[in-house]
Amino acid sequence: MAENNLAKQFAVYSEWRKGLVETICDYRNWLNEQELNDAQVDQRIQQLLDRLREDKLNVAFVAEFSRGKSELINAIFFAGYGTRLLPSSAGRTTMCPTELLCKTKPTSIMMLPIETRLSDATTSEYKRYPDEWKTVIFDVDSNESMVKAFKEVSSTKPVSVQEAEKYGLYDPNSADDALNLNKDGTIDVPCWRYAMINFPHPLLEQGLVILDTPGLNAIGTEPELTINMLPNAHAVLFILAADQGVTKSEIDVWRQYISGTRWKQKGRLAVMNKIDGLWDELKDEKEIQKELTRQIKTSAELLGLETNQIFPVSAQKGLLAKVNKDDTLLAKSRVLELEEALSNQLIPSKQEIVRDNTQNEIDDLITNSKVILDARFTGINEQLVELRGLRGKNEDVVEHMMNKVKVDKENFEKATALSGFAQYFLSILIAYLRCWAWSHSRCMCIQPARP
Ligand SMILES: Nc1nc2c(ncn2[C@@H]2O[C@H](COP(=O)(O)OP(=O)(O)O)[C@@H](O)[C@H]2O)c(=O)[nH]1
Ligand SMILES: [Mg+2]
């Protein structure tokens, strides 16, 4: 099994996309050379190129809090930094949906204040107004600076229950919410509604966008996640933990938002994390495996999946193994198997979508060019026929004119005493007309006029 298979496949996909962009640019140049391009066609081509250049591959991580989403993101994508980049610790660390992507410089974290929940605008709408976001710039060459900036996303603040209720973050009828109250009657809410971390990781630079979510409650409180982000994500990893049974809310979210009939598509993966919890020196390998198989079987039944659709991993050990370059532990963590499945499901299906969309648009543009070329061809043919028809007539006309000039000259000579110069001039004129008649009739056959 190749290490970093996901990165490799993604790089191949990016190269393919680049090639596609170059071919479309060649097509545009050809249209310009042939004078087949117009403002409308050019705009369509530009939109197609922009879409291809900005093409994103969205991978979302969804689970109840503390199942290890952030740790798994660290293990799959950011182990190369040799540290735990996204904060991951017991309890709630990811407080708001967090997008990791690479845009233009500077490397920064943009955070949308929780107060914006009071307005009707969605997070996507807010993306158009950078002033509404708090931006923290960090130094990508300093791990310390990055980790510190990333921690900012997890910050919370105490507010009154009334305020929390207005934000849709407190339900007075929920016993669970009541348990989260502080001693002074306030409740801690996330400072941020949404965060975007912009930094130049090679995969992000090629268009990968990772969405880390806080917990299943966020799925309910930020409707845009369910309406827009999860359905449109090219892959959703739903994470369970081996040390906890599958809860009812997990079954509901999986069925309703992730695996439901409409989204029964490739790229929906269930992951059973924390399998290292089952490792026990006092048990032999067979026993451990048996226990794991039993757990996977139960979870698969609850989620309505085949057992081979659930990927057992240990994100924590996978990250540790990658950081320490420990191949044995990496194999045991089974993170590479998950990466393999992810890239096999994700990239070919994404490529298929991009290919189909591009092909449809290009087919349409080519049909358009062909219609113009056909019309041009018909026009030229008609002109050619017309000119050929005129060829004989034209010679007759010139002959007639020459005879007429000849007669006029004789009459003129007879009538007046011509000067030597006038005679010379008239003979030149006749010679010229003869020449013109000959060359003009040839020209018309070789060079038909442009339409
Ligand atoms: N034993 C074990 N602990 C894990 C594993 N993955 C995550 N954790 C721990 O679980 C806790 C929550 O992880 P985190 O990534 O923050 O979960 P999230 O809330 O789903 O993002 C942290 O203390 C992690 O160290 C794992 O594979 N094995
Ligand atoms: Mg997290």
Side-chain angles (χ1 to χ4, degrees):
M1 198 187 315
E3 195 175 342
N4 274 331
N5 186 27
L6 182 64
K8 271 191 210 150
Q9 280 217 34
F10 199 75
V12 171
Y13 166 70
S14 297
E15 277 303 309
W16 171 81
R17 224 179 40 189
K18 246 201 237 157
L20 207 56
V21 166
E22 279 165 20
T23 311
I24 295 171
C25 285
D26 286 348
Y27 172 56
R28 173 149 75 178
N29 289 342
W30 178 79
L31 287 180
N32 285 336
E33 278 166 21
Q34 303 303 320
E35 295 176 18
L36 287 167
N37 207 353
D38 62 31
Q40 204 189 350
V41 168
D42 206 60
Q43 195 187 3
R44 281 177 71 180
I45 294 179
Q46 193 54 49
Q47 280 168 354
L48 187 62
L49 289 172
D50 289 347
R51 270 208 304 276
L52 280 172
R53 287 194 187 114
E54 285 162 21
D55 179 51
K56 298 278 180 242
L57 191 70
N58 298 301
V59 180
F61 286 72
V62 178
E64 195 51 276
F65 73 91
S66 236
R67 295 292 189 261
K69 294 176 290 292
S70 304
E71 190 79 331
L72 192 57
I73 295 173
N74 285 328
I76 297 179
F77 300 105
F78 305 127
Y81 289 97
T83 181
R84 178 175 280 130
L85 204 62
L86 291 180
S88 155
S89 59
R92 294 174 194 243
T93 36
T94 313
M95 295 308 292
C96 64
T98 305
E99 224 177 84
L100 293 126
L101 74 170
C102 180
K103 292 196 292 186
T104 45
K105 284 182 172 182
T107 50
S108 62
I109 301 190
M110 287 173 75
M111 291 164 291
L112 186 65
I114 196 75
E115 288 75 15
T116 57
R117 272 182 173 279
L118 297 176
S119 85
D120 289 335
T122 63
T123 48
S124 302
E125 283 161 346
Y126 272 110
K127 282 181 186 171
R128 280 183 258 139
Y129 303 98
D131 289 352
E132 301 282 341
W133 301 65
K134 180 184 170 187
T135 304
V136 175
I137 292 175
F138 60 87
D139 176 9
V140 76
D141 294 323
S142 150
N143 275 355
E144 202 187 319
S145 158
M146 282 212 283
V147 172
K148 189 165 162 253
F150 282 29
K151 272 203 181 125
E152 172 79 23
V153 180
S154 319
S155 50
T156 57
K157 61 181 174 188
V159 296
S160 67
V161 284
Q162 289 81 4
E163 200 174 342
E165 207 180 328
K166 275 196 266 170
Y167 298 147
L169 297 174
Y170 179 78
D171 176 2
N173 301 317
S174 155
D176 281 351
D177 282 2
L179 282 176
N180 289 330
L181 288 179
N182 296 323
K183 276 191 189 133
D184 60 0
T186 57
I187 185 163
D188 289 334
V189 295
C191 290
W192 314 109
R193 177 179 175 188
Y194 198 87
M196 288 194 291
I197 302 180
N198 166 29
F199 83 113
H201 178 276
L203 287 176
L204 303 182
E205 274 172 355
Q206 291 171 50
L208 180 74
V209 177
I210 299 168
L211 179 67
D212 188 11
T213 55
L216 296 186
N217 63 334
I219 304 248
T221 49
E222 195 59 77
E224 211 183 350
L225 279 177
T226 49
I227 295 167
N228 182 9
M229 292 175 180
L230 295 184
N232 291 334
H234 302 101
V236 178
L237 277 84
F238 186 73
I239 297 135
L240 307 163
D243 58 357
Q244 269 143 333
V246 181
T247 63
K248 186 178 173 306
S249 52
E250 281 174 330
I251 299 171
D252 290 347
V253 168
W254 170 259
R255 293 211 172 137
Q256 206 176 338
Y257 301 120
I258 301 170
S259 79
T261 46
R262 199 173 149 208
W263 318 123
K264 240 188 187 110
Q265 46 172 292
K266 280 185 171 178
R268 267 51 188 160
L269 303 177
V271 178
M272 178 166 287
N273 189 28
K274 305 196 186 184
I275 56 165
D276 56 296
L278 303 173
W279 301 347
D280 181 342
E281 267 106 64
L282 294 178
K283 287 184 187 165
D284 64 31
E285 206 43 55
K286 251 190 182 162
E287 265 181 288
I288 295 171
Q289 194 54 44
K290 214 169 133 191
E291 169 73 15
L292 183 60
T293 311
R294 192 185 56 76
Q295 280 239 31
I296 291 179
K297 194 164 170 274
T298 322
S299 309
E301 277 165 12
L302 289 168
L303 297 178
L305 290 172
E306 299 295 322
T307 48
N308 62 2
Q309 288 176 290
I310 298 186
F311 294 85
V313 297
S314 168
Q316 196 186 57
K317 301 298 178 227
L319 175 63
L320 182 71
K322 281 189 180 180
V323 169
N324 291 339
K325 306 200 175 7
D326 180 343
D327 288 345
T328 317
L329 186 61
L330 187 58
K332 212 173 164 195
S333 76
R334 300 178 71 168
V335 165
L336 293 184
E337 283 166 59
L338 173 64
E339 285 181 16
E340 175 108 337
L342 181 62
S343 53
N344 285 346
Q345 294 207 14
L346 180 64
I347 294 166
S349 58
K350 167 74 180 168
Q351 192 164 7
E352 216 170 280
I353 298 169
V354 172
R355 193 191 52 220
D356 289 353
N357 289 347
T358 311
Q359 192 174 347
N360 288 345
E361 188 69 10
I362 288 287
D363 276 353
D364 209 39
L365 288 167
I366 288 179
T367 310
N368 196 21
S369 306
K370 203 171 165 299
V371 168
I372 303 176
L373 281 176
D374 283 348
R376 204 178 269 184
F377 189 67
T378 314
I380 287 174
N381 259 340
E382 279 168 8
Q383 280 190 15
L384 203 63
V385 170
E386 207 175 306
L387 285 172
R388 282 200 178 123
L390 279 174
R391 194 169 144 202
K393 284 181 196 156
N394 215 353
E395 274 173 0
D396 291 348
V397 171
V398 175
E399 193 67 42
H400 172 76
M401 274 169 65
M402 279 202 314
N403 289 337
K404 202 165 169 281
V405 172
K406 224 174 174 180
V407 173
D408 285 353
K409 183 194 163 206
E410 281 161 12
N411 290 344
F412 187 66
E413 276 173 351
K414 273 180 211 159
T416 59
L418 280 176
S419 70
F421 175 76
Q423 276 194 37
Y424 173 69
F425 175 75
L426 278 171
S427 56
I428 284 196
L429 181 62
I430 288 167
Y432 173 77
L433 276 170
R434 255 183 230 277
C435 260
W436 181 78
W438 178 79
S439 67
H440 194 67
S441 60
R442 273 179 68 91
C443 259
M444 279 192 293
C445 300
I446 303 163
Q447 291 180 337
R450 290 177 75 86

